[in-house]
Amino acid sequence: MGIANRLYFSWLLVVLLLLITTFMPETSSYLFKPLQAKWLWLQVVCLGFQALTLGIAAFQNWGWVLRYNLPLTLIGLILAAINLINGLSPNVFGVPAAGLFLVGFVVLAVLQLPATETPERKNTSPLLGLASLTAVVATLGSLYFSEVKHFIPCTLCWYQRVLMYPLAFLLPAGLLGKNPRVQTLALPLSILGMVVATYHVMEEKIPGFSPIKVCAPDNPCTTPWINYYGWITIPVLSLTAFTIIMVCVVIANRQTRKA
């Protein structure tokens, strides 16, 4: 199977798995249970990244993108296997869904494992380094809040994690591999992250602003886990990080075109 077909079929499979996550009651109900959803959300992180990057790569015919997707595919495979083993536990979603995700990630790995094109190495903008640092710090910060301080991420927080965590891998990989094209892949992730973070800030800061009920009643999106100087909350930090990354990527893209 050619590289173009691998990209296309991988993208279709990722989209299908995301649709199953959204519409299958066995999985969708767990996405909104804050104490039970972690394993499934982490798989959504792996899939959400690939839905964008593989879609862009399929239309641009960038076979090298498979190299960047493979690590997250393998992580998703491991997570799905853990879920399958623990599938009888009420704190994890059930065996059929876990088995389906495991099969899906195995097929993705098969499509992405063979040798792919090597991206052309070029000089990258220093701003790519700043964007990489911001993504890594934001990711480590979110893990500190949830795993050390034991703050429970709300649904909007998880949407932002789905968009931020892959950036913490993609941007440093592009920087170290001298591949400025990762900026094109990072741009939609950062823009979507800004949109979600902006909505979260508005819901948190504007009384009565909640046109779409997203978060579960037992873990509302408006819980101020931190509140530095009466303004700086976790959504504000997230919006700041996504904005920095987006600005850096846009300017770096312009510099790359001029070079």
Side-chain angles (χ1 to χ4, degrees):
M1 183 184 294
I3 295 297
N5 287 334
R6 293 183 190 278
L7 287 167
Y8 182 69
F9 286 119
S10 295
W11 178 65
L12 285 179
L13 179 57
V14 165
V15 172
L16 178 61
L17 289 173
L18 285 174
L19 289 174
I20 289 172
T21 303
T22 303
F23 294 106
M24 179 183 276
E26 192 179 40
T27 59
S28 60
S29 62
Y30 278 88
L31 287 177
F32 303 99
K33 296 180 180 179
L35 297 178
Q36 302 174 353
K38 183 181 298 184
W39 291 106
L40 181 55
W41 268 117
L42 289 173
Q43 290 175 73
V44 174
V45 169
C46 298
L47 291 172
F49 167 71
Q50 300 195 47
L52 282 170
T53 57
L54 288 170
I56 294 172
F59 289 101
Q60 297 288 337
N61 198 27
W62 288 347
W64 53 266
V65 169
L66 293 176
R67 293 177 179 266
Y68 291 83
N69 283 270
L70 180 59
L72 286 178
T73 294
L74 297 178
I75 291 172
L77 193 156
I78 294 171
L79 292 172
I82 293 173
N83 267 331
L84 185 61
I85 294 170
N86 295 311
L88 297 178
S89 168
N91 292 328
V92 188
F93 66 93
V95 172
L100 182 63
F101 273 86
L102 180 61
V103 172
F105 279 113
V106 167
V107 174
L108 278 174
V110 170
L111 289 170
Q112 297 172 11
L113 269 174
T116 61
E117 301 168 1
T118 302
E120 183 181 355
R121 295 173 66 90
K122 295 182 179 180
N123 292 330
T124 54
S125 168
L127 290 172
L128 188 59
L130 177 58
S132 301
L133 178 62
T134 302
V136 170
V137 170
T139 296
L140 294 178
S142 75
L143 291 173
Y144 170 78
F145 286 139
S146 62
E147 305 305 317
V148 178
K149 300 294 287 186
H150 301 295
F151 299 160
I152 302 174
C154 69
T155 303
L156 283 177
C157 291
W158 270 113
Y159 288 155
Q160 290 163 79
R161 288 181 173 205
V162 168
L163 297 165
M164 180 61 76
Y165 285 10
L167 288 173
F169 159 76
L170 178 66
L171 291 171
L175 183 67
L176 295 174
K178 293 185 176 181
N179 181 11
R181 285 183 174 179
V182 300
Q183 297 158 185
T184 302
L185 301 178
L187 185 58
L189 287 166
S190 60
I191 292 175
L192 287 173
M194 282 183 61
V195 171
V196 177
T198 299
Y199 180 88
H200 198 176
V201 170
M202 293 175 69
E203 184 163 325
E204 184 181 60
K205 300 294 184 182
I206 302 175
F209 179 86
S210 185
I212 304 175
K213 299 294 183 182
V214 177
C215 292
D218 59 341
N219 188 32
C221 299
T222 54
T223 302
W225 293 105
I226 64 171
N227 192 13
Y228 301 136
Y229 308 109
W231 173 256
I232 301 176
T233 59
I234 293 177
V236 171
L237 291 174
S238 174
L239 177 58
T240 302
F242 277 117
T243 302
I244 292 172
I245 294 170
M246 189 275 293
V247 171
C248 288
V249 168
V250 169
I251 296 175
N253 272 330
R254 291 181 177 178
Q255 292 176 344
T256 301
R257 293 192 193 100
K258 292 179 180 179

